[in-house]
Amino acid sequence: MKTKLIRLAFLFMLFASAFPIYAQQTLETIYDGVEFDMPKVKEASFPDFEKSITAFGAIGDGLTKNSEAFKSAIEAVNQAGGGKVLVPRGVWYTGPITLLSNVNLHLEDGALIIFSKDKDDYPLVETSFEGLNTVRCLSPINAYQVENIAITGKGTIDGSGEVWRAVKKGKMTESQWKNLVKSGGIVEGTNWFPSQSFLDGYKASSSFNVPDVTDRNELQKMKDFLRPVMVSIRESKVVLFDGPTFQNSPAWNIHPLMSEDVIIRNLNVRNPWFSQNGDGLDLESCKNALIYNNTFDVGDDAICIKSGKDKDGRDRAIPTENVIIKNNIVYHGHGGVTVGSEMSSGVRNIHVSACTFIGTDIGLRFKSTRGRGGVVENIWISDIDMVGIPTEAIGFNMFYTGNSPVIEEDQSADDEARQENLVPVTEETPVFRNISMKNITVTDSEIAAFFMGLPEMKLENVRLENAVLQAKKGITAIDASGLELINVRVLGTDEVPLTIYNSQGVKVSGFTFEDNGKAAVRVLGTSDKVEFDQADFKSADQISKGNGLSPTAVKLK
């Protein structure tokens, strides 16, 4: 492990010296180069009025519960017409904090808010989690139908997530696991559960973290399982997060839901690597948002764009739209920038640029599955640098949580498998289309890119341009239509650099690769109208064709 970390650090130093450091973004520069029209996002502003929580009896000793002091300070500032609630240096132990309109919760340098580990402080409330209408524990920081709110400053907010989360043994070192088991809880198989209440809820859920039970009395018995997101901002307008560290959340870290005019900047968002559902930021069914100058190191997806799940999401009918994501760094996370898998209300008009992913499980991640519905479209991604990605640098998976097709060399086997995979197109069919990526650099990674649509709904009009991808495995495209690979270079693979399977209307131009003694390209299955530049190949033999392809399947021009 130590040798690998040293190698990654060395590679990153080389990598950093070869590329310009992206400038910090400001409200004046954030709209530069954005490909779609969107209104300027409104920034929260407050009167010159402030109250310290200490004026309401707060004691920063890390032992005294300050719930009433926070509540009184927020209410006083709200009733005065707005301003700052000051949290000075100290360790402020508290139950949930509910934000009200025109209040800026400002953490001064050295301020640490730690949320109570007493689950009785968090009553059950109706909300949405993982895109479904459900009941969860009240979030440590929460706001509902408010306007003009902020959390600012250089302090730290800790959600005491360790008392809420289950843990998988495989995500911990042996010594970490032994210490966790010694602390109490329940071990079943390779999972640790914090309590019987949590385990009861886990066994009652067929949909990840949302139990099938709806009776309130039964839900109360499994309350520990209904862990909250740390920061829940619902149906609100003009929201600003600027400066603090958010860490150790019970579930997701920051969750703006069905809100407008959201600015997320200059944050440090952290969770342990083993934290289940330890997302950094989940922007769900929001309109007009800016996400810039942030750093993420989390246990699940880092920056995630969502809009509801399955029927609950489709019934909501509120897409996430008009979002700019610039100049963010992601260390560990399941995805650097992710769209889905809950995207049933749709996602459109998203700009992502000048981001760096270092060791993130997947870099650019798009995921969905049958049953979701929704349309993801008009996504522009540029100037992304990645190093040490252990799976796909670029990943599109429309069989998330499902059984994806297996690539067959033989056409007859492929036809049989495809008949089993075909399902009717309905409102439950997810659509991903019109996605552009350019100026992408990947080094020391596992898989260059993986594009997979559905047999009945192709991944449509995806363009990758000006990319250098150094990875052990090359590019694979399955069930894509209108895919364009322009000036793409694949380095380091000991396998076929490019595989195209059951895809139509593919255009490849300026494709370069290292000769490893194998074919440069495989075209398989029911693929048709796949065009290559003849100048990219020494001979036509570098393109391998599967059995049974039509005469129009491959064209060299």
Side-chain angles (χ1 to χ4, degrees), residues 4 27 65 73 84-85 114 139 167 171 189 210 242 275 277 289 345 419 456 472 474 487 499 506 514:
K4 185 175 181 181
L27 282 177
K65 191 176 289 186
K84 282 184 182 179
V85 170
I114 298 181
S139 289
V167 178
K171 291 191 174 185
V210 178
D242 187 357
S275 57
N277 312 108
S345 283
Q419 290 305 314
E456 69 274 13
K472 294 177 184 177
N487 297 330
T499 297
V506 178
E514 292 179 325

Side-chain angles (χ1 to χ4, degrees), residues 441-510:
T441 301
V442 176
T443 62
D444 192 40
S445 296
E446 184 68 22
I447 300 171
F450 185 76
F451 303 94
M452 182 167 64
L454 293 168
E456 69 274 13
M457 182 58 68
K458 305 291 189 182
L459 185 63
E460 186 177 358
N461 297 340
V462 174
R463 180 183 177 98
L464 176 61
E465 181 179 5
N466 297 340
V468 178
L469 312 174
Q470 185 200 45
K472 294 177 184 177
K473 298 179 182 178
I475 300 171
T476 299
I478 302 172
D479 287 314
S481 174
L483 175 68
E484 292 185 86
L485 304 176
I486 310 298
N487 297 330
V488 174
R489 188 177 185 188
V490 176
L491 304 174
T493 179
D494 55 5
E495 299 185 359
V496 176
L498 173 61
T499 297
I500 299 170
Y501 183 66
N502 295 343
S503 298
Q504 289 76 41
V506 178
K507 295 183 179 180
V508 182
S509 176

Side-chain angles (χ1 to χ4, degrees), residues 221-239:
K221 295 176 184 177
M222 56 186 69
K223 181 183 175 185
D224 288 10
F225 178 71
L226 305 175
R227 55 198 168 111
V229 300
M230 188 165 79
V231 183
S232 172
I233 310 296
R234 295 190 296 145
E235 298 180 40
S236 297
K237 295 181 179 180
V238 192
V239 178

Side-chain angles (χ1 to χ4, degrees), residues 43-96:
E43 182 178 12
S45 61
F46 305 91
D48 187 16
F49 176 82
E50 60 185 46
K51 286 286 186 180
S52 173
I53 58 172
T54 57
F56 299 86
I59 299 173
D61 59 4
L63 300 171
T64 304
K65 191 176 289 186
N66 294 293
S67 307
E68 287 303 316
F70 274 99
K71 181 175 183 292
S72 296
I74 289 169
E75 288 177 348
V77 170
N78 167 262
Q79 290 167 9
K84 282 184 182 179
V85 170
L86 289 178
V87 183
R89 171 178 286 277
V91 181
W92 308 97
Y93 188 67
T94 182

Side-chain angles (χ1 to χ4, degrees), residues 329-387:
I329 297 175
V330 179
Y331 295 94
H332 186 267
H334 288 182
V337 173
T338 298
V339 177
S341 69
E342 303 97 67
M343 37 60 70
S344 300
S345 283
V347 173
R348 58 182 178 242
N349 294 349
I350 310 293
H351 171 101
V352 182
S353 66
C355 292
T356 303
F357 308 145
I358 306 169
T360 310
D361 288 352
I362 301 174
L364 298 168
R365 187 181 193 190
F366 296 81
K367 53 181 176 174
S368 188
T369 193
R370 288 167 173 154
R372 292 285 188 269
V375 178
V376 172
E377 62 184 349
N378 304 338
I379 315 290
W380 287 269
I381 301 171
S382 62
D383 301 308
I384 307 296
D385 299 325
M386 311 184 212
V387 62

Side-chain angles (χ1 to χ4, degrees), residues 10-214:
F10 176 71
L11 282 167
F12 181 67
M13 286 189 292
L14 291 177
F15 175 79
S17 65
F19 297 94
I21 299 298
Y22 299 120
Q24 290 284 295
Q25 295 293 315
T26 66
L27 282 177
E28 289 70 38
T29 63
I30 193 72
Y31 300 96
D32 293 350
V34 173
E35 298 84 356
F36 49 87
D37 292 330
M38 65 177 282
K40 294 292 179 68
V41 176
K42 298 173 185 175
E43 182 178 12
S45 61
F46 305 91
D48 187 16
F49 176 82
E50 60 185 46
K51 286 286 186 180
S52 173
I53 58 172
T54 57
F56 299 86
I59 299 173
D61 59 4
L63 300 171
T64 304
K65 191 176 289 186
N66 294 293
S67 307
E68 287 303 316
F70 274 99
K71 181 175 183 292
S72 296
I74 289 169
E75 288 177 348
V77 170
N78 167 262
Q79 290 167 9
K84 282 184 182 179
V85 170
L86 289 178
V87 183
R89 171 178 286 277
V91 181
W92 308 97
Y93 188 67
T94 182
I97 296 172
T98 298
L99 296 176
L100 300 177
S101 294
N102 302 312
V103 171
N104 175 9
L105 183 67
H106 182 79
L107 284 73
E108 295 185 330
D109 289 3
L112 170 61
I113 296 175
I114 298 181
F115 283 100
S116 166
K117 298 178 182 180
D118 182 356
K119 292 169 187 172
D120 288 340
D121 287 337
Y122 305 89
L124 294 179
V125 295
E126 292 185 1
T127 185
S128 175
F129 183 61
E130 294 197 335
L132 297 175
N133 302 328
T134 187
V135 171
R136 310 292 293 183
C137 292
L138 180 68
S139 289
I141 296 179
N142 59 88
Y144 177 61
Q145 291 185 344
V146 300
E147 188 165 350
N148 195 48
I149 61 170
I151 303 175
T152 62
K154 295 298 182 182
T156 300
I157 298 171
D158 188 296
S160 296
E162 70 276 8
V163 302
W164 291 95
R165 298 184 301 258
V167 178
K168 293 181 179 179
K169 183 178 181 180
K171 291 191 174 185
M172 281 188 152
T173 65
E174 187 173 346
S175 61
Q176 285 176 323
W177 177 255
K178 286 181 179 179
N179 288 334
L180 180 66
V181 172
K182 286 180 182 178
S183 72
I186 300 169
V187 176
E188 264 206 13
T190 58
N191 293 323
W192 177 89
F193 301 94
S195 67
Q196 185 64 47
S197 173
F198 189 110
L199 183 57
D200 290 344
Y202 176 79
K203 290 181 176 180
S205 173
S206 62
S207 179
F208 292 105
N209 299 294
V210 178
D212 303 335
V213 176
T214 58

Side-chain angles (χ1 to χ4, degrees), residues 216-275:
R216 274 297 187 107
N217 292 327
E218 291 300 311
L219 287 169
Q220 189 67 39
K221 295 176 184 177
M222 56 186 69
K223 181 183 175 185
D224 288 10
F225 178 71
L226 305 175
R227 55 198 168 111
V229 300
M230 188 165 79
V231 183
S232 172
I233 310 296
R234 295 190 296 145
E235 298 180 40
S236 297
K237 295 181 179 180
V238 192
V239 178
L240 171 66
F241 292 172
D242 187 357
T245 293
F246 293 83
Q247 66 177 34
N248 197 21
S249 56
W252 298 346
N253 215 313
I254 302 170
H255 184 207
L257 172 65
M258 293 184 280
S259 296
E260 295 184 20
D261 293 305
V262 177
I263 299 177
I264 310 287
R265 68 187 180 208
N266 305 319
L267 303 186
N268 183 24
V269 183
R270 310 191 315 153
N271 264 334
W273 287 21
F274 54 80
S275 57

